[in-house]
Amino acid sequence: MRHQKKTIKLGRTAEHRKAMLANQVCSLIEHQRIKTTLAKAKAVRPLAERMVTLGKNGSIHARRTALATLRQKNAVKKLFDDIAPRSAERNGGYTRIVKLGQRKSDSAKMAFIEWVDMSEVVEEKPAEEKKAKRKETEPKSKERDAMREEPRVEEPPTDEEEKTAETPAPAEEPKPKKRRWFGRTSGEKK
């Protein structure tokens, strides 16, 4: 029986679980909002709230405890300088979990975990903007630049060119497809 055993195991060893949760809290501190599975979000919440409580305390002992738990100096600094002062009036409940639905690949329940008093709303960029940026960053060839710089002057076609343009070229017969089935083509026999 598992009476009074609140640890959410997440199918990991204790060391792996502690490292993963610490990384998730650091990412939450850095990005203000993270997308993860619902079970992980529920496991991250108590640790994140404990870190904010330490940040509100502000003592050197609290700073050392937070650093020992998270193991990232920049995350601890941001926690103590930015997030904890924002939550000074609040007596708990520093995070919120927003359910998103199921992931397509494995139908895992997904959720956002975010700070309740985020300084700014973080939104993901639509995929269209990313595609547009890729097109702009492609290197242009010298030929295209040369063609753009010099405007083309169109000359009237000669009589020979007009005749060839009017008569369509005979269509070539398509070659039969070679179908392979276990290394044999369709024309081959046993």
Side-chain angles (χ1 to χ4, degrees):
M1 287 184 278
R2 292 203 52 197
H3 295 299
Q4 296 186 350
K5 301 199 181 324
K6 292 183 180 180
T7 305
I8 300 172
K9 298 210 175 184
L10 300 172
R12 290 163 168 79
T13 62
E15 293 172 355
H16 185 189
R17 184 173 53 249
K18 283 173 66 174
M20 183 201 60
L21 294 178
N23 285 333
Q24 294 253 333
V25 172
C26 290
S27 295
L28 179 62
I29 291 169
E30 184 179 343
H31 300 291
Q32 306 293 313
R33 166 196 271 184
I34 57 173
K35 183 178 179 181
T36 184
T37 61
L38 184 61
K40 285 181 194 171
K42 287 180 178 180
V44 166
R45 175 184 256 174
L47 187 61
E49 304 230 352
R50 195 171 306 128
M51 292 300 114
V52 174
T53 304
L54 287 173
K56 283 172 56 177
N57 186 349
S59 66
I60 193 74
H61 177 69
R63 200 174 274 269
R64 286 180 179 160
T65 305
L67 184 60
T69 305
L70 299 179
R71 297 187 182 109
Q72 290 185 12
K73 287 183 182 179
N74 57 353
V76 172
K77 185 177 183 335
K78 191 169 183 178
L79 172 72
F80 277 79
D81 295 343
D82 298 339
I83 296 170
R86 274 196 328 233
S87 305
E89 307 87 36
R90 191 175 287 275
N91 289 330
Y94 310 112
T95 58
R96 129 181 355 121
I97 295 175
V98 181
K99 295 179 183 178
L100 295 176
Q102 294 181 331
R103 186 164 49 194
K104 279 188 177 181
S105 62
D106 60 352
S107 297
K109 293 180 183 177
M110 300 299 290
F112 273 131
I113 181 167
E114 60 189 12
W115 301 112
V116 171
D117 47 3
M118 286 195 314
S119 57
E120 57 189 53
V121 177
V122 180
E123 293 185 12
E124 295 180 12
K125 296 179 182 177
E128 296 173 17
E129 292 178 13
K130 291 180 183 178
K131 289 179 183 176
K133 287 182 182 177
R134 285 185 186 166
K135 289 180 182 175
E136 294 173 2
T137 58
E138 288 181 2
K140 297 178 182 175
S141 66
K142 293 180 182 178
E143 296 173 1
R144 289 182 188 169
D145 293 338
M147 292 175 78
R148 289 182 185 168
E149 290 174 4
E150 299 175 11
R152 280 188 142 182
V153 178
E154 293 186 18
E155 298 177 5
T158 61
D159 293 335
E160 294 174 6
E161 291 176 359
E162 287 179 1
K163 290 178 183 177
T164 57
E166 290 175 4
T167 58
E172 295 180 13
E173 293 183 20
K175 295 180 181 177
K177 291 184 180 180
K178 292 184 178 179
R179 295 186 178 165
R180 295 187 178 264
W181 187 73
F182 294 109
R184 292 185 301 190
T185 58
S186 59
E188 294 177 9
K189 294 185 177 180
K190 292 183 184 177

